[in-house]
Structure formats: C-alpha cells, structure tokens
Amino acid sequence: MKEFITACPRNCYSTCSLVVQVENNKVAGIKPLPLNMATPFGGCLKGLSYVERANSPDRIIYPLKKVNGSFKRISWNEALETIAEKLIRFRDVYGQQSVLFYAASGMAGLLNDFSGKFWRHVYGGATTVYGNLCWPAGLEATRLTLGENKHNVPWDLENARLIVLWGKNPAESNLHEMIPLNNALDKGAELIVIDPLRTQSSQRASLLLQPFPSTDAAIALAVANILIQKEWIDIDFIERHVLGFERFAEHVKPFTAQWASHISGVPINLIEKLAWYIGNVKPMTLIPGYGMQRYTNGGQTVRAILALSVITGNIGKPGACWHYANLQSYVFDDVLEPLCYYPPDKPNGVIRRSISTARLGDDMLATQNPELKMIWVERGNPLTQNPNTGKVLQAFRKLDFRVVVEQFRTDTALEADIILPAKNMFEQSDIVGSYWNPYIQLKQKVVEPAGEVKPETEIYWWLAQKLGFTEAYLSQVLLPPGDDQVDKFLESRLKEFNLSLDDLKKGPILAPGLQEIAFSDFRFTTPSGRIELYSDQVQSIWGENPLPVYKPAEELFHNQTPYPLFLMSPNTKNRIHSQFNNLKIISLVSGDPVLQMNPIDAAKRGIANGDMVEVFNHRGSFRVKSQLTYEVRVGCVVIPNGWWKTQGAPVNVLSEGRETDMGHGSAFHNNRVEVKLVKCKR
C-alpha cells in the first residue's frame, strides 16, 4: 500500500494535512500528518469519509444528459459537441454575456484560475457574479480597520489568558481550534462565549451571554463605553497606533449597558461582567465567527467587536489577537479577499460582473441586454446554498440550457441539461493555502480519475477545441492535458518563492514572510498607517457611519411580522455546507434533519419532542421533526445549513437575497419564521 502526503481543499478553517493510503488505484485509508502544527491529529469525520467519497457508487463518473426528465449516459464527444453548439448559438444570436459562469468554493486550488481564462480569453466573455456567500462583511470590516486580514498562528492561542468566542462554535466549525483552546484553559485561561445557543464550545466557559441574533454590536458598544469609563483601556497603545479614539469615546457615551440589554436581551450584569473580563484579563484573543456578519448590519457589527481588541491593546502580541481570518498563506493571489469579490468600477466589455451572489435569483431574472440564456456551474450548489433558493430555481428554469460540473446528483445537478463529471481531490495535483493555518500545501494526485472523469482544466481544453481553437493558441491561454503540464505550471508558481513540488511532497511549508504574531511590527496598511476606529473609507465606499454603530437588521425587528421566531442556520461538523451528507458514513452520524427549539416556544404551539412540524414564512416552507432543547434561547429555532431539498430541509427556501452593509456579503441570516405542528391524518 502506497502513502502520499496531501491536504484537504475544502472551504474549511483547518485545511488539514493528511496521509492518503492507496491500493490498486483506489483510496484505501486516511491518516494524520503531525507535521502540520495546526492539525496534528489529522482529519475529522469528513476527512475520514474521503475513502467512501472517492469510491462511492453514487459518484458521477460519466457525462449525463437529461432526456424526458431522466439522465442517461452519453459520450464525452456528444456532451462537448452539444455544449459547443449551444455556446456558439448563444454567442452569435445574443452575445457572450448571455452565458452565466457560476463558480463557488467547493474545492480550492490555483488551477481554478483556468476556468476564468476560458470564459475570458477563449469564449470571449460571459456574465458572472460578484460578492461571496461566506465572510466578506467581516473581511472588509477588518481590512478597513487594521489594513489587512491576518491573525496569530493557531497554536499561539495557548498564550492567551482570556479567550472570547463571539458567535463562533469551533467544536462544530473549526475542530482543530479546540486543541489550543483547551490547552490554554488547562493552563488557567478564562473562556467567554457569546452566542444565542449554548454550544459544545461553551462547556468550559466562565461566562455565557445569549443575545438575540444580530444584536452583537449593541453589546460591543456598551462594553466599549464601560471600558473607557472605567479606564480599563491601553492608553499607550491607543496613542501610538489608533486613529479616531477621541471620536469613538464620545460616540459610545450614550450606549449604556441598560440600552444594550434592552436590544439584545442579555441581562445588564452579564454585560458589565463581560466588560470586566475584557478590561482586566490579558492577553485576550477575541475569536469572532462568520455567522454573525451574515446580517445586513454584519460589517458594522464586526467593527464594533474589533474595537474592543483595539482599545485594550490586544493586537500584535503573543496571546493577544483579533482572530477572524489569516490570509498570509495566500501568497499566489494578486488581489486578496475581499477585494477580489468586488465588481469593477468600470465594465471592461468582456466579463459582465453584474450579478450579486447574495441576490442570485433576483439578479438572474432581472438581467437584460442581453438576458441570460445559459448557465455553467462548477464547484458550487446554488440551489441549496444561495439565499431564496425558490427564486434561484425559478431563474434556472427560465434559462434555455444548463451545464453543471459535479461529483454527485446535488439539487443543482438535478436541474442540469448536461452533467459533466468533476474530478475529486485525489485525481489532480494542485496547491492550496488556508484562511486559518499558515501553511502552503500540495494536494497531490494519488489515483487516476475514475470512469471517464476529466479534470476541469481538461474539460475546458477539449471544449475549446470543439469551438474551433487551435492547440497553438490554447497552449498560451489554458493548461494542456497531462500531469506533466500540471506539474510544470505548479513549479512555475512555486519558483517565485524559491519552493518546489519536491519540497511540498514532504509536507506543509509555512508561508513565506509569515508573521507568527500578526501585526507584531505594528504596521497597519490603512490610509493613515494606524488602526482606524474612525474610517473615512467606510463612508466613502459603503455609505456607512465612519464609526462602528448598531443598526437593527432588516426584517428581524418588525413588530408586526407574523413570523415571530429567529431562524438560525449554523454550520455542523458533519458537513462543509452542502457537501458530504450524501455519504453513508456521514448520514449515519448526522441522522435526519431536525429543528431545534426551546421547550417554552414549543409548548406555546402544542409541539412535543419528535413531532413533525412545518417551518415557514412568506418565501417558502419545509417539514421536519422537532427536537426540544434548552440549549436554544427562547425566540430562536435552529437547523444547520446544507441539507439538500432531496434530504428534506432546504433551509434557504426561507431566506431572502440581501447584501450585507459592506463587502457584498450575503445577509441570509436576516430570517424570521413560524413553526406549526403538522397534524397526522387518521
């Protein structure tokens, strides 16, 4: 049995280093690689399930064409000729921008860039999306305040004396962070958790605050006011490194603990206790989650919370960190996130980047001159994961032609006219970074593609030839087929940093230029060169207050709404959004979807534990069983995101397509619902 070092390329904090065991051209086992200090114990359950995922009998390994509502196997020649014929027709009749190219974050890697090169330099144009579903509001808030997105290495968390998990549940979303977190607690550190849910991550907390969703900024501003009044701040740090403190201090005076308690539902004494901890226990690492910035007030919420790290001087020191995102391993990117998500100031006439990811369905339907006729989807499942999937489905079905590149029959794949089989992570080499750990890693090819699977780079190469392009031209634009061509390209990128594939085959490598303690040089690449509590750019770019503020999130606080419950749709450790739950090993653990709700809310509706209920609002509905638990605060209901429609709980049929206040993020957590008992027919 052969063993290879590789890395998981999923959209996940950990980006685990793994050892893959291969026998007879099949993935046979997954082992840990302790060389990665951030993930020394190896893959989670999802990582271990790669053995099943790679060998699943449900995997799509041949091109499929929909005929009379069912899929039948076709040859690659027929698939590519059919697609080429459609592309030529839409180009000649409506123009290249009548085709929508949609790619998401299903698999990371440098080779993904060749997809965009096909649409730009081969097909000659397309329409595409801007924004992102995941984290842009927080990225932009951090960029405008600190100048860039980076944080201390994960293992530095052990140096913290106070750890604040604000809206983050690493026991579900970032399993490997629990290692240094628990080590720090074993050494005597204190843990505070702020979350509407009592999560596994809060089991060792000294303090738990459970606010109403989207009200975190109110708490943060009140805490800032107390810190300043009590003089629990770092005056020397502020004078040396902070712009706008005086304005900020005046700004927060009206924001009392009483005011924040009224908004958030958190008792006054707990807000005051939180302020005491933050003002008196140092160093502090503050770890915000991504869910709370997926509201229409998400960017300003993150700026308000970040201000607490700033005014207490918990930046740029061991154990003192704003731990949101670490892009230090993204050394190959010309433009870092979130800037690469933004539409251009002036359209270039080739790529029309005009459709908001957050408003995908609405914007697709509204697009004109030309209207959309075709979509190509890869690395994504928008009919599960994008807001208001009912509207997205309407937009899909209005199109004349749909191509989906996929491994499995997802909700999106089922709407395709042609499905092309996608490679898995073991069938083509690539290089990946991480937004949490500081390593550059090689995702090695370890087996030949199953069935007739072709890597996406080869799909584009052969499709381009069907469009009439010569190999001589394509070799200047796309990646020619063959492992040697992949290796040649990757070596050329690594050479810029005096690295090689041979280096990476031995294990992960710390990113060149890494600051293990972020901002330890106290250099901030903002316009002023200082940390900007007051940011002119917040106003000039986004039209928001230059100082952090609390604004009620849209929809959530309308007194007349017939939908009284806050719907929360967090991540789960058993899936990466809509990936993995179709696997038997995962479904055995995760079971069927359930709606968690507080017994007090359930009693008002005559709902008992295990009853079938309908979750609904004016956008959509679905039915699941109830699970009653006091872990959920009164007024909230919870179901993790990522369930397919075919699995029974497509949560985004309930969400609206809205953007966040900054960063072009998706505010699909602005969501209220009602729940009612489904009475059985006798």
Side-chain angles (χ1 to χ4, degrees):
M1 188 179 295
K2 295 182 179 179
E3 294 188 342
F4 302 85
I5 291 173
T6 191
C8 179
R10 303 274 86 84
N11 181 8
C12 172
Y13 287 98
S14 296
T15 317
C16 297
S17 299
L18 305 170
V19 175
V20 185
Q21 297 176 309
V22 176
E23 190 168 30
N24 298 323
N25 196 45
K26 289 187 179 295
V27 174
I30 303 290
K31 293 169 53 179
L33 182 69
L35 291 174
N36 187 326
M37 293 173 62
T39 64
F41 299 115
C44 62
L45 179 61
K46 299 182 294 293
L48 297 176
S49 75
Y50 275 129
V51 177
E52 179 186 346
R53 181 166 174 163
N55 302 300
S56 172
D58 298 328
R59 186 179 171 196
I60 299 167
I61 58 175
Y62 305 102
L64 301 174
K65 181 178 182 179
K66 187 175 287 182
V67 179
N68 296 323
S70 299
F71 287 102
K72 74 167 189 176
R73 177 180 170 181
I74 59 174
S75 68
W76 270 104
N77 188 60
E78 180 180 349
L80 294 177
E81 285 193 349
T82 302
I83 296 169
E85 179 183 309
K86 296 287 187 180
L87 286 172
I88 291 169
R89 178 173 175 270
F90 295 139
R91 180 194 65 196
D92 293 348
V93 177
Y94 305 103
Q96 289 95 327
Q97 293 177 351
S98 65
V99 178
L100 174 61
F101 167 58
Y102 184 93
S105 58
M107 188 184 300
L110 300 185
L111 298 184
N112 291 338
D113 288 348
F114 286 102
S115 300
K117 290 181 179 181
F118 170 87
W119 295 105
R120 179 181 297 275
H121 299 298
V122 177
Y123 189 57
T127 296
T128 188
V129 297
Y130 65 87
N132 183 270
L133 293 175
C134 185
W135 58 340
L139 288 176
E140 181 69 343
T142 301
R143 184 185 75 87
L144 294 176
T145 306
L146 299 178
E148 58 187 308
N149 280 275
K150 58 185 178 182
H151 62 59
N152 297 5
V153 292
W155 47 91
D156 174 69
L157 187 58
E158 295 188 26
N159 295 318
R161 300 298 297 167
L162 177 65
I163 299 169
V164 180
L165 295 176
W166 202 314
K168 185 173 181 180
N169 180 17
E172 293 284 346
S173 64
N174 191 183
L175 292 175
H176 291 89
E177 190 163 63
M178 296 301 291
I179 300 168
L181 189 154
N182 280 310
N183 289 343
L185 297 182
D186 290 344
K187 294 176 182 178
E190 302 272 8
L191 173 66
I192 294 174
V193 176
I194 300 138
D195 197 313
L197 313 179
R198 192 173 77 237
T199 65
Q200 236 186 325
S201 301
S202 68
Q203 295 305 307
R204 298 182 68 182
S206 302
L207 183 65
L208 171 65
L209 281 67
Q210 292 183 272
F212 290 120
S214 80
T215 63
D216 305 85
I219 297 172
L221 293 169
V223 169
N225 187 14
I226 295 170
L227 293 173
I228 294 168
Q229 286 184 3
K230 299 287 189 180
E231 297 184 351
W232 295 336
I233 57 177
D234 190 330
I235 293 294
D236 182 64
F237 182 87
I238 291 168
E239 289 178 348
R240 288 173 179 267
H241 305 299
V242 179
L243 175 72
F245 173 73
E246 294 78 8
R247 291 184 183 184
F248 178 76
E250 188 66 27
H251 171 67
V252 300
K253 283 182 179 178
F255 305 139
T256 63
Q258 292 89 337
W259 169 82
S261 177
H262 175 74
I263 291 170
S264 67
V266 174
I268 293 170
N269 68 307
L270 295 187
I271 295 173
E272 293 173 339
K273 196 170 184 179
L274 172 63
W276 183 90
Y277 272 107
I278 292 177
N280 291 279
V281 184
K282 295 184 177 182
M284 173 185 73
T285 292
L286 203 165
I287 310 175
Y290 296 160
M292 67 183 175
Q293 51 90 62
R294 295 176 188 148
Y295 293 93
T296 50
N297 62 7
Q300 286 287 38
T301 293
V302 170
R303 275 181 43 82
I305 298 169
L306 172 52
L308 304 180
S309 291
V310 172
I311 64 177
T312 55
N314 281 294
I315 301 285
K317 306 165 189 174
C321 176
W322 168 253
H323 208 92
Y324 183 76
N326 189 17
L327 305 187
Q328 294 189 78
S329 68
Y330 286 24
V331 295
F332 302 101
D333 293 5
D334 295 326
V335 181
L336 288 179
E337 299 163 90
L339 296 178
C340 62
Y341 299 146
Y342 299 167
D345 294 330
K346 294 181 180 180
N348 60 19
V350 179
I351 297 296
R352 177 173 64 174
R353 199 172 189 187
S354 59
I355 292 179
S356 169
T357 302
R359 299 189 301 265
L360 180 64
D362 284 319
D363 284 4
M364 285 176 66
L365 290 168
T367 295
Q368 297 292 326
N369 300 318
E371 66 178 318
L372 298 175
K373 295 295 181 180
M374 173 182 165
I375 190 169
W376 177 293
V377 179
E378 63 182 66
R379 291 175 275 127
N381 186 12
L383 284 172
T384 298
Q385 288 305 111
N386 286 62
N388 200 341
T389 47
K391 191 61 67 73
V392 179
L393 179 60
Q394 181 184 343
F396 260 63
R397 289 181 174 175
K398 185 186 175 186
L399 299 169
D400 292 349
F401 193 62
R402 295 149 290 263
V403 177
V404 177
V405 186
E406 248 301 346
Q407 295 181 40
F408 296 99
R409 297 193 186 199
T410 64
D411 290 342
T412 304
L414 291 177
E415 290 296 319
D417 295 291
I418 287 184
I419 305 175
L420 301 179
K423 70 174 183 291
N424 68 26
M425 64 169 281
F426 304 109
E427 295 169 344
Q428 187 180 43
S429 294
D430 211 338
I431 293 170
V432 297
S434 168
Y435 51 83
W436 178 68
N437 78 52
Y439 291 102
I440 295 171
Q441 302 191 71
L442 175 64
K443 176 184 71 67
Q444 281 200 75
K445 177 179 178 179
V446 299
V447 295
E448 291 301 318
E452 294 182 3
V453 171
K454 295 182 187 299
E456 287 81 345
T457 52
E458 294 191 13
I459 293 174
Y460 282 119
W461 177 269
W462 299 117
L463 178 58
Q465 291 197 3
K466 294 291 186 183
L467 292 173
F469 289 86
T470 65
E471 289 192 9
Y473 173 75
L474 294 178
S475 62
Q476 301 175 47
V477 178
L478 301 181
L479 187 68
D483 296 339
D484 58 333
Q485 295 293 330
V486 172
D487 289 351
K488 181 180 177 182
F489 169 75
L490 297 179
E491 289 281 20
S492 71
R493 299 305 307 272
L494 290 168
K495 188 177 180 181
E496 304 169 38
F497 302 96
N498 295 315
L499 298 173
S500 69
L501 289 177
D502 286 341
D503 296 330
L504 290 177
K505 286 177 181 178
K506 299 173 185 175
I509 294 177
L510 292 171
L514 171 69
Q515 273 189 335
E516 292 208 13
I517 305 301
F519 303 106
S520 56
D521 56 0
F522 300 106
R523 294 180 60 189
F524 304 97
T525 56
T526 58
S528 66
R530 297 160 73 88
I531 299 173
E532 296 196 354
L533 288 179
Y534 184 97
S535 170
D536 287 323
Q537 287 187 308
V538 171
Q539 187 170 52
S540 63
I541 299 174
W542 303 107
E544 294 290 328
N545 194 314
L547 290 164
V549 296
Y550 166 73
K551 292 198 307 186
E554 293 178 24
E555 182 177 325
L556 296 188
F557 296 97
H558 296 170
N559 293 329
Q560 304 304 314
T561 177
Y563 310 109
L565 299 170
F566 296 92
L567 175 65
M568 303 183 66
S569 51
N571 292 345
T572 166
K573 61 178 176 288
N574 298 326
R575 294 194 296 274
I576 299 293
H577 301 297
S578 68
Q579 295 193 68
F580 290 97
N581 204 65
N582 60 304
L583 303 178
K584 290 182 175 61
I585 187 174
I586 300 295
S587 61
L588 282 172
V589 175
S590 58
D592 295 327
V594 295
L595 181 81
Q596 291 186 311
M597 63 189 308
N598 190 285
I600 294 173
D601 289 322
K604 292 177 181 178
R605 294 162 174 80
I607 297 170
N609 191 56
D611 280 347
M612 184 64 69
V613 298
E614 183 176 359
V615 190
F616 65 95
N617 59 22
H618 60 288
R619 290 180 287 267
S621 67
F622 56 84
R623 294 180 175 186
V624 291
K625 288 186 177 181
S626 65
Q627 183 182 81
L628 307 190
T629 171
Y630 286 104
E631 292 179 351
V632 178
R633 70 156 297 154
V634 173
C636 297
V637 292
V638 181
I639 186 164
N641 74 79
W643 292 102
W644 298 357
K645 183 178 180 180
T646 52
Q647 295 165 347
V651 67
N652 278 312
V653 301
L654 302 169
S655 62
E656 183 59 88
R658 297 186 180 96
E659 285 197 11
T660 52
D661 52 352
M662 58 185 75
H664 297 302
S666 300
F668 42 13
H669 289 181
N670 286 48
N671 206 348
R672 293 190 76 150
V673 300
E674 180 56 289
V675 179
K676 67 180 181 182
L677 179 68
V678 176
K679 295 181 180 179
C680 298
K681 296 180 180 179
R682 296 184 182 275

